[in-house]
Amino acid sequence: MLRLEPRPEPSIAMGLLSPLIALLLTAIIAAGLFVALGKDPLRGLEVFFVQPINGLRPISEVLLKATPLVLCALGLAVCYRANVWNIGAEGQLLVGAIAAGGVALWLSGALPGMPRGSLAVALLVAGVLGGMAWAALTAWLRDRCNANEILVSLMLVYVAQQLLNYLVFGPWRDPQGFNFPQTPTFPSSTWLLPLWQGTRLHWGALLAPLLAVAAWVLLFRSWKGYELQVGGAAPMAARYAGFSSRQALWFALLLSGGLAGLAGAMEVAGPVRQLTPYLSTGIGFTAIIVCFVGRLHPVGIVLAGILLSMMVIGGELAQSRLGLPNALSGVFQGLLLFLLLACDTLVGNRLRRRAA
Amino acid sequence: MNEVALLLAATIASGTPLALAGLGLLLNERAGVLNLGAEGMMLVAAIAGFATAFATGSDMLAFAAGAAAGGGMALVFGVLVIGLNTNQYATGLALSIFGGGFSAFVGAGYVGQRLSDRAQWALPLLSDIPVLGPALFRQHPLAWIALLLCVAIALMLYRTRAGLILRAIGESPESAHALGYPVRTLRLLAVVAGGALCGLAGAFLSVVYAPMWVEGLVAGRGWIALALTAFATWRPARVLLGAYLFGGLTMVQFWMQTAGVPIASYWLAMLPYVATIVVLAVISRNPTWIRLNMPASLGKAYHPGH
C-alpha cells in the first residue's frame, strides 16, 4: 500500500512536473473517450494536439486565441496570489469589449475616413477602462460592504452579458443587418492590423508577451508585488508589516479587470470587428484554467495559454472533422484542471510505501 | 386561476430548485466545506435527469439519476478537497467548469427536445380555496418535498445528536476530532449529501421546470444558491424564505415582460443577478453579524495529526 507523507519543503520539481502529468492523464482519458465514442483515438488526439499547430496559418490562429487567454490569466494570477478571488474575468472582458465597441461606433461617426488602423489604440484604452470599471464594482462592494468577491464578480458576468445583449439587440443594432443581433462592422480605421497578410494574428498579440514580462517584474522584482503576495500568503504578517489589504484588493482587481478589458477590446478591434452577443465563448473562464496550469507564473501562463488555445481550436476541429460536439473541449479543459489539482498533492506530499 | 394565484404558484415552482440546492449547500457549509461547484453539479444533474426522463419516461428515475450525478460529482470534489487537501475554491471552480463542459457535451444531442409538462399534485380540499388554493396546493411533489426537507434539516441540525456533531465539525473540527469523531469521513458524507440535493435541484429544473434542455440551463442558479446560504445566515428556514423571494423576483420579471412594462427584457433579465449582489452587499455590511453566524471553519481544510 502507498500512503501520502508530507514533504518538509514543497517540491519545486513536482510543481513543474505536475501540469505535465495532468496533461498526460488528460490525454489518456481523452483517448479512452474517443474509443468510447467510436473514433480512432490517435486521430482524436491528433485533432487536439497536432493539427492546431500544423503549419504557419494554424499556428497564427493558436496565437490569436491564446492572446486574450494570456492577458486575462496574467491579471488573475496577480489576484490569486494576493488571495483575491476574482472569477469574473469573463464579465470584465465583455464590458471591455462593449466599451471598445462604443468608442468604435462613436469614432466612426465623428472621424470618418481615417487611415487603416489609426484608431485601434483608442479602442484598447477604452477596453482597459471598461474592464477596470467593471472590476471596480466588485472591489468597491468587497471594500465597502465586505461582499464576497467570488459571488459578486461571477454575478456581474451575467449582468455584463445582458448588457451586451441589450445593446446589440437594441440601440446599437445595425439597421442594415437584416435584424441580426449585431452592430455594423466597424470601419478599417479601428482595426488592429494583421502582422502578416493572410492571417488574423494582429499587432495586439505582441502585447501579451510584453505584459507577461511586466507581470513577472511586478510580482517578483517589485515592492508592490511583494506586498501583494505576503498579503495573500500570510494576511496577519502583512497586517503586522503595515501592508494595506484594501490597497491590495483594489490594485489586484483593477489590474485584472483592466487586462481582461484589454483582451475584450482586442477581440473587437482584432478578429471580430463588430459586437455580437457571442463575442466571448468563455474566454474568461478558460483563463482561470490557464492561470492554474501556468502555476500562477507569467512564463507558465504564456505556455498554458498556448496549450489551452490549442484545446479550444481542437474542439472546433473535432466538430468539423470528427463530427463530435464542440463542447468536448470544455470537458477536456475541466478534466485538465481537476487532474492538475489532484497532482498538486504531490507538490507538498510524497508517496511512500506503507510499512507493513 | 387569476393572475395573483398564477404568480404565486410560479414563484414556488421557481423557488423550489433554489431551495433544494441551497439546503444542500447549507449542509456542506455547516460541516465546514465550501463547494463552489454547485453550478457544475446542477448542470450535470440536469442533463442526467433530462436524458433519463427522455429515455424512460419515469420521473422517479430521472430524479434518482440527477441526485446520483450530483452526489457523484460531489464525491470527486470531496475526495480531492478532504482527502488530498486541495484548495477548496480552485477545486470547486474546476467542478463548475467541468460540469459546464460535460453537460454541454452530453446534452448536445438533446438540444431543442422537450418533455411533456409534468403533472402536479392537488391536495384535496385545500386546493379548492380561492386564489391561495391553486397557488399553494397544486404543485409538483418536489415542491413539497423541499418544504419537508427544510423542516427535517432544521430538526436534524438543532434537535438531534447527528446535527450537533455536524455543526461541531464545521465550527471546531479540532474539538470534534479530540472527542473521537471521524471529522473527514463525516465531512465527506455531508458533501455527498449536499451534492445529491444540488443534483435533485438540477433534475427538477430540466425535467419539471423547463422542461427541456439547453446549454447552460441552470443559468447561475447554483451561484445564487451559494449566495442564499450566506443570506440565510446558514439557517434552513431562511434558506427556504430566500429561495422563494428569489423565485418571486424571477417570476415578477417574466410577468412584467408579458404585461408589456416598457423596460427592455434585458434589464429585467439582470434582476436576479443584481438582486443577489445587492442582498450580498447588504447582509455582509455588518462583519460581526456574519462572523457570529458563519460556521467558524468554513473553507478551511482539516487534516488531523499534522
Side-chain angles (χ1 to χ4, degrees), chain A residues 123-145:
Chain A
L123 268 68
L124 298 187
V125 171
V128 171
L129 294 177
M132 282 171 94
W134 208 243
L137 281 174
T138 304
W140 186 74
L141 286 166
R142 169 92 231 192
D143 187 17
R144 270 305 165 82
C145 306

Side-chain angles (χ1 to χ4, degrees), chain A residues 4 6 33 37 80 83 85 87 141 144-152 154-156 158-167 169-170 285-286 288-289 292 324-335 337-339 341-345 349, chain B residues 34 36 39 73 76-77 80 83-87 89-95 97-98 100-106 108 215 219-221 223-224 226-227 230 264-267 269-270 272-274 276-277 280-287 290 306:
Chain A
L4 282 175
L33 195 59
L37 292 167
Y80 299 161
N83 207 17
W85 287 85
I87 59 171
L141 286 166
R144 270 305 165 82
C145 306
N146 196 31
N148 180 304
E149 78 273 17
I150 301 177
L151 294 171
V152 172
L154 196 277
M155 288 289 125
L156 284 174
Y158 293 95
V159 178
Q161 181 66 52
Q162 290 299 336
L163 190 66
L164 177 62
N165 288 355
Y166 165 72
L167 290 169
F169 279 94
F285 294 112
T286 303
I288 297 175
I289 307 176
F292 282 109
L324 293 171
N326 192 355
L328 195 56
S329 169
V331 177
F332 292 161
Q333 290 175 31
L335 258 177
L337 182 53
F338 249 131
L339 293 167
L341 291 168
C343 290
D344 276 352
T345 308
N349 299 276
Chain B
L34 182 67
L36 293 184
E39 181 83 5
M73 286 184 72
V76 175
F77 169 85
L80 281 176
L84 300 180
N85 292 322
T86 60
N87 181 313
Y89 291 168
T91 313
L93 273 176
L95 201 67
I97 292 174
F98 174 79
F102 189 70
S103 63
F105 172 67
V106 176
E215 205 180 310
R221 286 186 182 84
W223 298 101
I224 293 179
L226 276 165
S265 59
Y266 312 102
W267 298 110
M270 287 177 194
Y273 310 113
V274 173
T276 307
I277 295 172
L280 268 176
V282 170
I283 55 139
S284 312
R285 276 188 79 92
N286 185 350
I290 287 288
H306 298 172

